[in-house]
Amino acid sequence: ANAKSRTSKAVSALAEMTPDSATLVGTVNELGKTSALPERVIPLTLLQRGDILLVRPGEKVPTDGTVKSGSSSVDESMLTGESLPVSKSEGSKLIG
């Protein structure tokens, strides 16, 4: 029962870290064609496969994905236990 309680608390802590919204800046269709969109903040519930999101330094990664352009460092300590930020650049996988 004690382990189940700790697991439940850990899952709750991870859920609280997830942002409620994301900054949408484009989409990629099934054929791989990219379309830019005016920057707008949308609820996570409206995200779709192929959406291109802008994640600014210091923001939490809203969902799993791949870096399309740019580079930065991401805090993955809650997932990996690594205390130092992890460098990410074009093609890097992100866990949200």
Side-chain angles (χ1 to χ4, degrees):
N2 203 12
K4 189 173 184 178
S5 173
R6 284 195 310 268
T7 301
S8 178
K9 287 178 184 176
V11 169
S12 294
L14 279 174
E16 287 175 15
M17 291 181 62
T18 305
D20 296 327
S21 59
T23 305
L24 181 67
V25 295
T27 61
V28 177
N29 68 18
E30 296 82 26
L31 303 175
K33 183 174 182 336
T34 301
S35 300
L37 298 171
E39 185 178 313
R40 64 185 175 150
V41 176
I42 62 169
L44 285 186
T45 55
L46 296 181
L47 287 181
Q48 297 181 14
R49 179 179 217 91
D51 283 348
I52 300 172
L53 306 177
L54 173 65
V55 181
R56 292 183 173 89
E59 289 183 345
K60 294 176 181 163
V61 177
T63 188
D64 295 353
T66 305
V67 177
K68 184 142 178 81
S69 67
S71 62
S72 192
S73 296
V74 178
D75 178 1
E76 294 183 344
S77 59
M78 283 296 285
L79 299 169
T80 65
E82 175 59 54
S83 61
L84 298 174
V86 179
S87 294
K88 300 290 182 174
S89 59
E90 191 171 323
S92 295
K93 300 291 184 196
L94 295 170
I95 301 171

